[in-house]
Amino acid sequence: MLDQLRPEFIDRFDMVNVERLMRSGASFDQAYLGHMGSETVVSHNVMTSGMLPKHMGWSDEWYRDTEGLLGPVDGRYVTGSMGVDQFDTLIEDKGYPKLADYLHAAFPGTAVAAIGQKNYATYTMGGPGADMRITFSSRAYDCDGDGGLTWRGPTGVNVPSYISGPECNRFYVDGDKALDYGTLTTSPAWMYPLEGNRDLPGNDPDHLGGDIWVTDAAFSVMDNEDWSGLLLTYGGIDKAGHMWGGLNDVPPYPGADPQTHIAAAAKVADEQVGRLVDRLRADGLLDETLIVLTTDHGQQTSRRFFGVDGPGRGNYNWYYGADEDETYLDPQPQIQRLINRTGDNVEMSMQDSAIRTWLVDRSMPAKKQAVRVMSTMGGVRATYYRVGDRYQLAWRAPRSWFKTSAWQWWRQHGQEIVDTEAAPYGPDVIALLADNTSYGVAGDHGGAQRAVQRIPIVFSGPGVRARTRPGAPIRSVDILPTVLRELGIKRTHWMDGRGYPLP
Ligand SMILES: [Zn+2]
């Protein structure tokens, strides 16, 4: 799972190991994500559950706890800040098994490990059935002896002692916020700057972070366990894509260390794919391993930008609202206008390449009033309000406001994609934005645009014919049932996804 791997990046940034893997198996040309929010915290659970966001327990960056599963009824939570117990509670409440559970059923006694830099991605990709979930801790160590707790170490669920110890071993990395590689002082990266070596590897050869950290941890697990599943989520491309924009991020660079830009991040990610394949071959496992390569969303460059471009603005552009322990009440002007013109009826909101808003008064007249305001906001092309398990289209821009390709994509997929997050915990109203338009950061996701939704889905392994490019419109939710079908593992629960035959 290479976070934010837009298919175009593979060619543009010369990801030769990814290309080789694609040629070695089946690469679905028409693959797309197929859900909203098109976000890390949502997709990592979709792809290992076969469930759409509306059925899996949460559907976006905000969660409204309408059933009181985590605390008081209607409690508010930023999902990306939830702990592993909270995610597991939501998953277990819905009662569906995940990939780790199926692997245990098929291969009793084997280990399934989820590993990644981002804790919410790792926790949800693994799920409660994973034997170990290994990610980065908060800043809790002083491995350089400067008297400050600025280093991160391994944390998670059942982190094995060969990874966690001794303290300050290779798996501890400098997470000092001052280690920003120039990204904190350079627009537009400064909205979401680097803060140490969690997301990208850095320069300390004994404590490399980023995607290299993930592979090294995976290799330690491979050294020590009889494993049946490794669920690896790599966050380097995502960080660079958010900071700089994506396909526009080519030399000459506006500033900051070149290693913070996407070409370098893509090279590191690509090298990890090569290392994994080489390791499987060296272990004699390549001909008995099904490799799935995908991403959790695409992305687009924010050519029309409605956020505020300033240091540390990312979270304040993305989030509006407050929960128990976080407060984001400094919105960009367009969201402030929504708040004002609805009479302060915005409880919380998430806006990146789409706007999703939870209202205080959720009556039908209040929802219709909110979408009327949203329909006048910058970059908006269609607005919807929730009616039960679907969203009702309230307004769309005239045909002439859409490019032909955007119009065709929206006509084909807009309703389908917004409906996937229609749950009581989901947003009350949604505004879809034009292509290359964002309220968040320089490169963004979250919405239903083609560039955000088009993703690579590749299967390589024994029995999968090489150099095949199936035309089936596979989605992220179809990955688990397709894996189960290929491995001959029986489904024990209904799923939203469907299993596709591999050639
Ligand atoms: Zn992501």
Side-chain angles (χ1 to χ4, degrees):
M1 216 305 306
L2 304 188
D3 201 311
Q4 203 175 122
L5 181 67
R6 187 175 170 174
E8 289 86 346
F9 293 169
I10 297 168
D11 281 343
R12 173 72 63 88
F13 302 113
D14 205 20
M15 300 180 73
V16 292
N17 291 294
V18 170
E19 286 171 342
R20 190 173 300 133
L21 184 68
M22 291 168 77
R23 286 197 302 271
S24 75
S27 177
F28 282 74
D29 276 342
Q30 303 300 316
Y32 67 113
L33 189 71
H35 63 258
M36 274 177 66
S38 45
E39 308 275 352
T40 305
V41 70
V42 174
S43 301
H44 279 76
N45 196 58
V46 171
M47 70 179 80
T48 54
S49 70
M51 305 295 272
L52 288 170
K54 65 181 177 180
H55 293 137
M56 76 185 204
W58 68 98
S59 65
D60 215 304
E61 299 273 350
W62 285 102
Y63 170 69
R64 174 185 274 152
D65 191 6
T66 51
E67 294 180 81
L69 298 171
L70 304 179
V73 168
D74 285 350
R76 298 181 294 265
Y77 299 84
V78 172
T79 48
S81 304
M82 294 200 312
V84 65
D85 293 339
Q86 293 175 312
F87 284 119
D88 288 0
T89 296
L90 300 186
I91 292 168
E92 286 171 340
D93 174 68
K94 297 296 179 208
Y96 51 83
K98 298 196 63 187
L99 176 56
D101 304 299
Y102 283 111
L103 289 172
H104 283 140
F107 309 103
T110 59
V112 178
I115 305 171
Q117 298 117 296
K118 287 183 184 170
N119 48 34
Y120 50 90
T122 308
Y123 295 154
T124 56
M125 198 180 193
D131 299 283
M132 47 186 90
R133 288 179 270 182
I134 306 165
T135 185
F136 274 120
S137 73
S138 57
R139 298 175 180 86
Y141 303 95
D142 176 18
C143 295
D144 54 11
D146 69 356
L149 296 177
T150 55
W151 283 56
R152 298 176 186 270
T155 192
V157 181
N158 295 330
V159 178
S161 57
Y162 51 80
I163 286 178
S164 62
E167 192 171 306
C168 295
N169 70 16
R170 177 268 165 279
F171 293 108
Y172 293 72
V173 310
D174 193 347
D176 197 332
K177 288 186 178 181
L179 194 55
D180 65 58
Y181 298 94
T183 59
L184 185 58
T185 49
T186 311
S187 168
W190 61 10
M191 286 187 276
Y192 190 53
L194 281 171
E195 296 180 334
N197 300 333
R198 183 189 69 161
D199 302 302
L200 298 175
N203 300 318
D204 181 344
D206 297 326
H207 300 275
L208 291 169
D211 293 346
I212 296 172
W213 184 92
V214 177
T215 308
D216 287 0
F219 283 5
S220 274
V221 170
M222 294 166 89
D223 288 339
N224 287 279
E225 310 288 342
D226 177 18
W227 62 275
S228 59
L230 290 173
L231 312 179
L232 310 179
T233 169
Y234 290 93
I237 292 172
D238 183 71
K239 187 70 185 181
H242 280 314
M243 285 196 296
W244 299 109
L247 290 171
N248 63 318
D249 184 19
V250 292
Y253 294 131
D257 191 322
Q259 71 178 302
T260 70
H261 288 270
I262 198 162
K267 182 166 190 288
V268 171
D270 184 62
E271 285 166 357
Q272 306 319 304
V273 173
R275 291 178 69 199
L276 284 165
V277 173
D278 289 348
R279 171 68 193 250
L280 289 169
R281 186 182 292 113
D283 286 357
L285 298 175
L286 194 57
D287 61 358
E288 54 187 81
T289 303
L290 178 64
I291 303 174
V292 183
L293 180 121
T294 190
T295 189
D296 54 343
H297 45 75
Q299 65 107 253
Q300 59 181 18
T301 305
S302 308
R303 289 202 206 101
R304 287 186 75 201
F305 187 61
F306 293 95
V308 173
D309 182 13
R313 275 297 309 184
N315 281 341
Y316 295 92
N317 289 339
W318 277 327
Y319 300 103
Y320 173 79
D323 67 5
E324 285 280 299
D325 45 20
E326 287 169 276
T327 301
Y328 303 100
L329 299 176
D330 187 9
Q332 56 275 65
Q334 291 283 319
I335 298 298
Q336 187 64 56
R337 194 162 71 86
L338 175 64
I339 297 163
N340 296 346
R341 292 193 48 195
T342 56
D344 280 334
N345 197 31
V346 175
E347 184 178 19
M348 53 220 192
S349 191
M350 174 74 194
Q351 44 281 326
D352 35 29
S353 82
I355 305 167
R356 289 89 73 202
T357 302
W358 290 252
L359 302 174
V360 181
D361 174 358
R362 290 115 75 178
S363 66
M364 200 53 72
K367 287 195 227 185
K368 289 181 176 175
Q369 199 263 336
V371 290
R372 272 198 300 274
V373 179
M374 287 174 117
S375 303
T376 67
M377 290 168 64
V380 171
R381 289 294 176 271
T383 55
Y384 304 81
Y385 55 92
R386 189 169 68 83
V387 182
D389 63 355
R390 67 184 183 89
Y391 285 93
Q392 174 66 43
L393 177 67
W395 172 87
R396 70 159 170 85
R399 165 70 183 84
S400 60
W401 293 19
F402 292 81
K403 287 192 174 151
T404 297
S405 59
W407 172 254
Q408 288 171 344
W409 180 265
W410 177 75
R411 291 272 289 180
Q412 192 177 357
H413 294 294
Q415 185 73 49
E416 167 207 343
I417 289 170
V418 293
D419 281 347
T420 63
E421 69 171 322
Y425 45 73
D428 300 304
V429 289
I430 293 177
L432 297 183
L433 300 175
D435 283 3
N436 300 314
T437 300
S438 165
Y439 278 58
V441 293
D444 228 334
H445 54 48
Q449 295 96 339
R450 186 177 190 277
V452 173
Q453 290 284 330
R454 281 273 295 115
I455 61 169
I457 299 181
V458 178
F459 300 86
S460 173
V464 183
R465 203 180 320 144
R467 296 173 186 274
T468 48
R469 314 196 77 152
I474 193 172
R475 303 160 298 166
S476 192
V477 73
D478 303 320
I479 291 175
L480 176 64
T482 300
V483 166
L484 297 185
R485 182 183 172 126
E486 181 64 15
L487 297 183
I489 301 174
K490 194 170 172 296
R491 286 196 208 185
T492 57
H493 192 278
W494 67 271
M495 291 180 195
D496 288 306
R498 61 171 279 194
Y500 284 94
L502 299 180

